[in-house]
Amino acid sequence: MNNIFSAIEKATELNKDLNAFITIDKEAYKKCCKENLPLCGMPIAVKDNICTKGMRTTCASQMLESFVPCYDAYAIAALKKAGAVVLGKTNMDEFGMGSTGGNSFFGATVNPIDKKRIPGGSSSGSAVAVAAGIVPAALGTDTGGSVRQPAAYCGVVGLKPSYGAVSRAGLVAFASSLDQIGILADSVDTVWSVASEIYSYDCNDMTSRSINPGNGITEGFSLNNIRIGVCEKYNSAADDDILAGISKAEEILKNAGAEIVDVQAPMTEQLLAMYYILSSAEASSNLSRFDGIKYGKCTKRFSSVDEIITYSRYEGFGDEVKRRILLGTFVLTQGYYEQYYARAEIGRRRLMRQYNALLKNECDIFLSPVTLTTAPEIGCASKQKVRMYEGDYYTVAANLTGMPAISIPVGYSSDGLPVGVQMMSGYGKDELLLQVASLFEKEFKGGGKL
Amino acid sequence: MKWQAVIGLEVHVELKTESKMYCNCKNQFGGQPNTRCCPVCIGMPGTLPKLNKQAVEYAVLTGLAVDAKISSKTRQCRKNYFYPDLPKGYQISQFSAPLCTDGQFEYFYNNTACSARIRQIHIEEDAGKLIHSPSGETMIDYNRCGVPLIEIVTQPDFHSAEQARAFLESLRILLLYLGVSDCRMQEGSLRCDVNVSVRPVGSNVLMPRVEMKNINTFSGAERAIKYEIQRQCDILDNGGEIYQETRRWDDEANTSIVLRTKENAADYRYFPEPDIPYICISTEDVERIRENVPELEFAKKKRYIQQYGLAFDTAEQLSADPKLALFFDACVNNKAPAKETANLLLGQVLNCVNESGKSISDSGLTVENFTDIISYMCNDRISATSAKKAVAFLFNNAGTAENAVAELGIEQISDSVIIEKLVDMILQECPDAIADFKAGKKNALGYLTGQCMRQSGGKANPRLLSQILNEKMERWSFNNE
């Protein structure tokens, strides 16, 4: 109870500067469990696109500014059952669209390491809540890197599970075939304790699977003979700070007995196009339900049904959301579907086959950067919005293929900013990924200058 | 007639599953508005569809009944458009890989056997209902949202409104036999859109077609098609052109208005439904479901004629009513004689059904008590007239046949000894009548019969009475010679 109380105080105090929370449950300490449950007393911050019963869930959008769900997401119910307490709902890029933490109706979130810099997105508030020491763990969502990228910018661990490992029931959909609820935490061990509660087959989500994340390093597991695949060409797009992190990671892994293997990263030229076509298409459909009629913001100016729908959406959605809906609608339009959506789908199947082969025949873990740079300054976003999308270069492959991926801090750049590296394993091999990540983390505990 | 009409049909059928297509809400007609919905069928944020297996099986069953190919790996698609009765802003339907394709359905039109090709059958969900109040407000009832539908799409194989209607009526009977829907057009569980075009007689080119929506009855479908054929012929006769469009039928005004033209035809931006993985149907599944295809209308009719020797009209009437036919089958399986059962069913039982508005299953009539009544009748325990009374009694009051006979007091006296005594007694009392008979007055026999019957309290077995009376009359005359 005490630690929840101090978490509430810290969250409220720091929110003035960091704006990591949209809603803080000031009564959360009352919900503490008495029994000996696995996560008893753990305060967890939850990204505001995951439905929490009785607690406002806004997706950082004016469209859902006052929306209160009457149901908990599967993952939330599982956490509550394990004794965890939802401390509050974290700020994010609206509906998951964005990677800066600046696309929110409730104002931008800032990076606690350097408040003039972005925390990343779209799980900005969740990453900040962990990095600022408010909570040991937070739930985020990852559609194209939205858990791993802010984790890297803020210096925390960020896991995107295998697609289907965590039920999407109650997660407000952005891109249904890419979305996964992910975990941000201060260590792999903490990630594990949360994962073992929320990973589960859920009959209410037809895309869910039964995948075991494990919960601790198994007896006799070591990095000996684990093959770590690295693609120099793929990595070369990142800047020197990041590459220093990769080098350090390779060194640590080699010293622990792993084998570093040169591999070819599949289809690197097509990744971003495939991701943006498919995710925008699905988003344009998933967001159609926001019409101002059943729930959410309804426009006050209308003279027909068409106008209710048109103006509610015009007023309720931010610019980036509108941009993605327009893009998604376009690629699904008759006459363009074959050229864009259908081709992206075919490309995606090929990418899956190639990554499957890579992570079976050539290596067990694929190591790469998470981001191109360390956390950029606020306001340095390009005028050409599409250039922002290039930052997803290293993260989208895991969403397109469904493979699990984790971002782990390896140290700090020369100007004191966190640097993260990404590890990816084969589909369903979350336990292997977490074991390697955990051992890796233990090998160099402390980080330090790269 | 210069022009030939070419008609295709799209029939939407609500399936009779326990729950809705993608959620656990009860699948039932009516009720207070918005009382049979949940976050899933209202499309609240974060909700996901959970496919109803029974609905898929009903769809496969229907496909098998029309000899369609069942897809082993089928996919749902999203059909995207904005409308207040569509909460998610898209309908989960099928587009490129429907569940069933290339079937055919045989039906009779004008006593000729016809065959319509079924292009496809696909599964989808129903939308809500808009209710327009007299004060000009529109309200939305989401109860119907998510009800499972199959859409049966035919090839343009009909050439008259009457032919299309004959198909619809036969299709309805098929669906009732399969038990997949209650097919109540007045409740919207069976709906139809029509596609009409005309072309020069002898041509086999397809001309632009006009789609007509808002058709709520079979007779409405016939009227709408007739109207549209005439409208198109008039235009063509005057040198005009037909453009592809969608029109809304107004049955009261007997006319239609344009809803959409080809230019502003909707683009539904179909793409595969990411929340529902491929639906795999194995050959084992198909064979298991095939066992549930019952004997259908025409096979039944043939069997009734060949196996039971029923008259053509009787067989036709019986087989056209699935509930009646199944009841008939059950009775015959319970050893009831076919002809008597059929006659009583199509006669008195149907009368009771029509008068009361109740179906057989809602009445007091059961296979047990009905077959018992028939066997009493065949064993001369009750007369044919009394059997009809008993059937009506049981229909309204339930109970056993034994009980009905007792209550109604219709048990016949069929003991010859008793009847002989009775006849002897009457003959003793009526010497004048005997004399009249001897003298050739035929109605004396009727008088004597009446007297005997009265004496027996109306219970004498008429056939036996007549036989015994006649015998005694013959002998009496002989004795007194």
Side-chain angles (χ1 to χ4, degrees):
Chain A
M1 177 131 121
N2 273 336
N3 61 331
I4 298 189
F5 200 77
S6 45
I8 296 170
E9 287 201 321
K10 195 163 184 184
T12 314
E13 177 62 37
L14 291 177
N15 225 36
K16 303 186 191 103
D17 283 341
L18 302 177
N19 200 23
F21 283 86
I22 294 176
T23 305
I24 299 172
D25 181 7
K26 305 269 166 93
E27 318 260 286
Y29 63 91
K30 292 185 185 163
K31 290 162 190 154
C32 199
C33 68
K34 300 202 169 46
E35 299 116 82
N36 209 2
L37 293 170
L39 299 180
C40 192
M42 184 192 271
I44 300 207
V46 174
K47 187 174 179 182
D48 213 12
N49 60 354
I50 299 173
C51 288
T52 42
K53 184 173 177 176
M55 201 188 295
R56 187 171 68 148
T57 300
T58 69
C59 302
S61 178
Q62 188 177 22
M63 182 62 87
L64 292 178
E65 188 183 355
S66 326
F67 177 70
V68 180
C70 55
Y71 42 88
D72 269 332
Y74 181 93
I76 299 298
L79 285 175
K80 286 182 181 176
K81 199 159 151 211
V85 173
V86 176
L87 184 74
K89 308 302 290 297
T90 55
N91 207 350
M92 52 183 282
D93 287 308
E94 190 180 356
F95 283 111
M97 300 174 191
S99 36
T100 62
N103 291 350
S104 167
F105 175 66
F106 297 90
T109 306
V110 304
N111 194 322
I113 316 290
D114 176 348
K115 294 187 196 146
K116 285 204 274 340
R117 294 181 182 268
I118 64 171
S122 60
S123 308
S124 30
S126 286
V128 169
V130 174
I134 299 170
V135 286
L139 290 189
T141 66
D142 192 313
T143 305
S146 292
V147 159
R148 294 161 285 154
Q149 183 249 41
Y153 282 168
C154 294
V156 300
V157 179
L159 169 72
K160 180 202 84 70
S162 287
Y163 181 78
V166 179
S167 170
R168 288 183 301 115
L171 160 55
V172 181
F174 160 9
S176 315
S177 72
L178 300 161
D179 291 342
Q180 265 296 275
I181 290 179
I183 305 166
L184 298 106
D186 51 14
S187 69
V188 178
D189 277 343
T190 312
V191 167
W192 243 329
S193 53
V194 174
S196 50
E197 301 305 322
I198 67 174
Y199 270 54
S200 172
Y201 168 70
D202 175 17
C203 61
N204 288 318
D205 172 359
M206 291 187 79
T207 61
S208 96
R209 300 267 175 280
S210 182
I211 293 173
N212 180 18
N215 193 4
I217 299 182
T218 52
E219 181 88 36
F221 183 85
S222 80
L223 289 170
N224 274 336
N225 302 318
I226 298 285
R227 300 165 300 169
I228 311 283
V230 181
C231 177
E232 207 184 301
K233 184 151 185 263
Y234 190 36
N235 295 354
S236 64
D239 75 5
D240 293 335
D241 286 328
I242 304 296
L243 290 177
I246 293 284
S247 297
K248 177 157 179 204
E250 283 181 17
E251 192 191 313
I252 292 169
L253 289 163
K254 230 185 345 209
N255 290 341
E259 188 194 337
I260 310 294
V261 181
D262 277 327
V263 298
Q264 291 281 57
M267 296 177 75
T268 58
E269 305 293 290
Q270 290 92 2
L271 293 173
L272 289 168
M274 290 193 293
Y275 172 74
Y276 276 95
I277 288 171
L278 295 171
S279 64
S280 304
E282 290 183 15
S284 72
S285 179
N286 282 326
L287 267 61
S288 291
R289 64 189 64 202
F290 302 108
D291 53 15
I293 293 172
K294 313 169 292 287
Y295 48 77
K297 180 187 169 70
C298 182
T299 181
K300 296 213 177 356
R301 57 156 171 159
F302 58 87
S303 56
S304 69
V305 164
D306 276 351
E307 287 194 354
I308 296 179
I309 300 175
T310 308
Y311 288 120
S312 296
R313 292 165 67 81
Y314 176 73
E315 293 164 18
F317 287 145
D319 282 352
E320 184 60 29
V321 172
K322 286 178 182 154
R323 202 171 284 124
R324 305 279 183 111
I325 292 175
L326 286 169
L327 178 56
T329 306
F330 172 73
V331 301
L332 290 175
T333 299
Q334 210 167 29
Y336 296 102
Y337 177 93
E338 286 303 316
Q339 198 180 343
Y340 292 101
Y341 187 88
R343 276 176 72 184
E345 262 298 307
I346 292 170
R348 183 186 188 173
R349 308 267 153 250
R350 190 189 308 164
L351 185 73
M352 281 174 164
R353 282 195 301 274
Q354 293 187 3
Y355 261 105
N356 274 338
L358 178 71
L359 283 158
K360 197 163 77 159
N361 306 331
E362 295 184 51
C363 60
D364 305 297
I365 299 284
F366 181 65
L367 176 72
S368 76
V370 188
T371 56
L372 294 171
T373 65
T374 53
E377 285 183 355
I378 293 171
C380 81
S382 169
K383 286 244 176 346
Q384 250 199 316
K385 292 298 171 190
V386 175
R387 307 235 60 193
M388 288 300 298
Y389 299 163
E390 290 169 1
D392 298 335
Y393 188 49
Y394 293 114
T395 48
V396 294
N399 303 87
L400 288 166
T401 58
M403 288 157 174
I406 190 167
S407 169
I408 309 178
V410 296
Y412 297 87
S413 67
S414 48
D415 38 4
L417 297 171
V419 174
V421 296
Q422 175 176 252
M423 293 188 198
M424 216 168 110
S425 70
Y427 179 78
K429 299 239 183 317
D430 301 53
E431 187 172 8
L432 170 67
L433 180 69
L434 287 165
Q435 302 231 54
V436 172
S438 180
L439 278 181
F440 172 78
E441 187 185 53
K442 284 171 170 47
E443 287 295 319
F444 79 99
K445 205 55 183 193
K449 278 242 157 55
L450 292 164
Chain B
M1 189 72 178
K2 251 180 18 178
W3 310 104
Q4 180 198 40
V6 179
I7 302 150
L9 300 172
E10 287 166 21
V11 186
H12 292 86
V13 183
E14 285 185 0
L15 298 176
K16 214 168 65 171
T17 55
E18 279 291 315
S19 45
K20 289 186 177 181
M21 192 67 176
Y22 302 114
C23 64
N24 291 332
C25 289
K26 211 156 153 38
N27 176 13
Q28 210 179 5
F29 177 74
Q32 286 295 307
N34 296 314
T35 52
R36 266 198 284 281
C37 11
C38 71
V40 176
C41 51
I42 295 194
M44 298 210 107
T47 55
L48 294 171
K50 191 169 139 192
L51 183 62
N52 184 324
K53 189 165 172 227
Q54 179 72 81
V56 178
E57 300 215 339
Y58 278 170
V60 172
L61 185 69
T62 310
L64 289 173
V66 299
D67 283 326
K69 275 201 284 285
I70 310 296
S71 175
S72 58
K73 201 167 152 185
T74 188
R75 192 74 196 263
Q76 302 248 234
C77 280
R78 290 194 187 176
K79 180 177 181 181
N80 295 282
Y81 64 97
F82 287 98
Y83 204 65
D85 68 0
L86 197 66
K88 296 190 294 292
Y90 58 86
Q91 177 196 29
I92 301 180
S93 177
Q94 293 196 283
F95 184 61
S96 50
L99 182 58
C100 315
T101 48
D102 296 330
Q104 75 173 10
F105 181 57
E106 278 160 19
Y107 63 103
F108 275 80
Y109 166 58
N110 262 353
N111 286 321
T112 324
C114 299
S115 179
R117 291 168 299 163
I118 306 292
R119 195 175 89 212
Q120 66 181 63
I121 301 176
H122 67 255
I123 48 176
E124 58 185 27
E125 56 177 344
D126 212 343
K129 232 187 326 207
L130 295 183
I131 299 165
H132 306 284
S133 77
S135 55
E137 288 174 326
T138 299
M139 295 165 288
I140 314 171
D141 176 11
Y142 291 114
N143 281 356
R144 201 181 65 178
C145 264
V147 165
L149 288 180
I150 46 172
E151 182 174 334
I152 302 172
V153 183
T154 74
Q155 298 282 18
D157 286 350
F158 311 103
H159 301 291
S160 74
E162 295 84 355
Q163 186 183 22
R165 181 176 180 169
F167 167 86
L168 286 171
E169 285 174 350
S170 289
L171 182 69
R172 180 176 171 275
I173 293 174
L174 171 70
L175 295 167
L176 287 171
Y177 265 112
L178 294 175
V180 301
S181 173
D182 56 26
C183 296
R184 297 204 183 120
M185 283 195 91
Q186 68 276 25
E187 288 179 3
S189 56
L190 183 65
R191 313 196 285 268
C192 184
D193 293 338
V194 303
N195 292 301
V196 181
S197 68
V198 296
R199 64 184 174 197
V201 173
S203 155
N204 48 13
V205 173
L206 280 177
M207 306 273 275
R209 58 173 169 75
V210 170
E211 181 187 16
M212 202 113 73
K213 297 179 103 66
N214 194 40
I215 289 169
N216 298 316
T217 58
F218 287 157
S219 55
E222 195 179 326
R223 281 191 288 278
I225 296 170
K226 269 207 175 85
Y227 169 93
E228 184 57 26
I229 295 171
Q230 189 61 53
R231 191 187 72 87
Q232 291 191 20
C233 289
D234 288 344
I235 291 174
L236 291 171
D237 283 337
N238 287 324
E241 246 188 277
I242 305 296
Y243 300 100
Q244 184 181 316
E245 61 190 19
T246 302
R247 300 174 76 91
R248 186 175 193 277
W249 174 246
D250 183 338
D251 207 35
E252 271 183 37
N254 209 59
T255 183
S256 67
I257 51 159
V258 182
L259 267 184
R260 298 193 279 277
T261 61
K262 189 174 181 179
E263 281 67 42
N264 41 24
D267 171 10
Y268 295 113
R269 301 191 299 282
Y270 288 100
F271 70 100
E273 171 58 80
D275 290 330
I276 302 177
Y278 276 102
I279 302 165
C280 294
I281 301 171
S282 66
T283 38
E284 286 82 31
D285 288 325
V286 170
E287 291 320 304
R288 174 178 50 83
I289 297 169
R290 199 192 292 277
E291 313 251 306
N292 294 332
V293 178
E295 184 183 41
L296 299 174
E297 186 186 1
F298 298 122
K300 234 188 239 301
K301 182 159 84 174
K302 235 168 46 176
R303 182 169 64 84
Y304 287 172
I305 295 170
Q306 286 171 355
Q307 189 179 352
Y308 301 130
L310 294 187
F312 184 91
D313 285 340
T314 309
E316 185 164 72
Q317 251 194 296
L318 258 186
S319 59
D321 185 337
K323 284 193 180 144
L324 216 56
L326 290 174
F327 189 75
F328 172 79
D329 289 340
C331 292
V332 171
N333 279 340
N334 202 27
K335 311 278 197 287
K339 288 206 173 98
E340 286 81 355
T341 308
N343 290 335
L344 213 48
L345 267 177
L346 291 173
Q348 184 67 321
V349 175
L350 259 190
N351 283 345
C352 293
V353 168
N354 291 334
E355 263 172 39
S356 68
K358 277 198 268 190
S359 65
I360 296 176
S361 48
D362 291 332
S363 78
L365 211 58
T366 64
V367 173
E368 278 299 314
N369 61 26
F370 189 63
T371 48
D372 282 345
I373 291 294
I374 294 173
S375 100
Y376 294 170
M377 183 179 79
C378 293
N379 292 335
D380 259 347
R381 200 177 145 191
I382 60 178
S383 68
T385 323
S386 295
K388 286 193 193 153
K389 277 207 203 109
V391 166
F393 179 85
L394 286 167
F395 190 94
N396 293 318
N397 300 307
T400 60
E402 198 65 62
N403 182 58
V405 165
E407 284 283 328
L408 296 171
I410 50 175
E411 180 116 31
Q412 281 185 152
I413 299 170
S414 292
D415 186 341
S416 336
V417 172
I418 298 176
I419 292 187
E420 282 200 29
K421 279 212 179 82
L422 193 137
V423 170
D424 287 340
M425 192 177 79
I426 295 293
L427 289 181
Q428 290 275 26
E429 291 175 4
C430 302
D432 296 330
I434 300 168
D436 283 343
F437 178 75
K438 245 178 65 173
K441 288 190 182 149
K442 295 287 180 216
N443 46 354
L445 193 61
Y447 171 75
L448 285 166
T449 310
Q451 289 299 98
C452 292
M453 195 52 97
R454 198 165 59 94
Q455 183 62 35
S456 75
K459 291 194 179 159
N461 182 328
R463 193 185 38 81
L464 201 54
L465 172 61
S466 166
Q467 181 192 320
I468 290 173
L469 186 57
N470 271 304
E471 268 175 25
K472 288 203 183 282
M473 292 302 286
E474 298 294 316
R475 274 187 275 129
W476 189 279
S477 306
F478 180 80
N479 275 344
N480 281 306
E481 217 65 86

